[in-house]
């Protein structure tokens, strides 16, 4: 009988490797996803998290169309080329940290500016695309479905997890078994006092080889030879 299992990894290459491993071993019912995908899967309703490209496009639209009062003290640098990237990274990091920008507006005028920009950006996001805090809240409201939707959860090969997802993983662990498979890496300290099983492996000791290349062309040839040996 097929049992549902969810493997949480970071990065597309690692996800492809995990899917290949599951296929080779005949592990049916395994879904490989990111922690954002886990939250979206549990939240249901075609909800999804904000990706970097969509957030950058929304920020660019706000910088072009928003009135001056939205940008506040950033209005003077609205046209500088680096502002779009800076705001995209700032909002993304604030969201992943679980910061409530609107609630912190009394602390500093910059929080008020960021809260206004955040509100404008959210108005330009596609339907069903949520901030990490909103997506985690939607997933938390459907934790009763975790056994059927997620099954046993294994977090594989990760060294850290953003605060907004830490709380969700703790709540998920109250409904399904959760394993943090650190491998040779060090497990985060916040896992020590919660109901999540931590597995660690021996430290890795890879062999180190040096190739001396006379020219850039020779270096490319040796790199391709190495790639062929890995793929063989």
């Amino acid at each position: 009988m097929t049992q549902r299992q969810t493997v949480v990894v970071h990065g597309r290459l690692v996800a492809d490797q995990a899917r290949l491993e599951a296929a080779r071993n005949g592990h049916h019912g395994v879904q490989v996803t990111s922690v954002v995908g886990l939250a979206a899967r549990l939240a249901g309703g075609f909800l999804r998290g904000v990706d970097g490209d969509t957030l950058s496009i929304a920020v660019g639209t706000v910088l072009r169309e928003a009135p001056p009062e939205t940008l506040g003290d950033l209005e003077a640098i609205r046209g500088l080329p680096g502002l779009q990237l800076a705001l995209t990274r700032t909002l993304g990091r604030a969201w992943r940290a679980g910061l409530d920008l609107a609630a912190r507006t009394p602390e500093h005028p910059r929080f008020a500016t960021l809260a206004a920009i955040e509100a404008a950006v959210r108005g330009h996001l596609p339907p069903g695309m949520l901030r990490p805090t909103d997506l985690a809240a939607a997933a938390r409201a459907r934790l009763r479905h975790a056994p059927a939707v997620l099954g046993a959860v294994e977090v594989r090969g990760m060294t850290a997890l953003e605060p907004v997802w830490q709380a969700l993983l703790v709540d998920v662990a109250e409904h399904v078994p959760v394993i943090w498979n650190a491998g040779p890496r060090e497990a985060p300290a916040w896992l020590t006092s919660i109901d999540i099983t931590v597995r660690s492996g021996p430290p890795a000791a890879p062999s180190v080889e040096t190739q001396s290349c006379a020219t850039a062309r020779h270096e490319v040839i040796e790199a391709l030879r190495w790639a062929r040996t890995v793929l063989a």
Side-chain angles (χ1 to χ4, degrees), residues 205-213 222 225-227 229-230:
S207 58
V208 179
E209 298 181 0
T210 301
Q211 294 285 348
S212 178
C213 302
E222 292 300 327
R225 286 174 177 168
W226 171 82
T229 60
V230 174

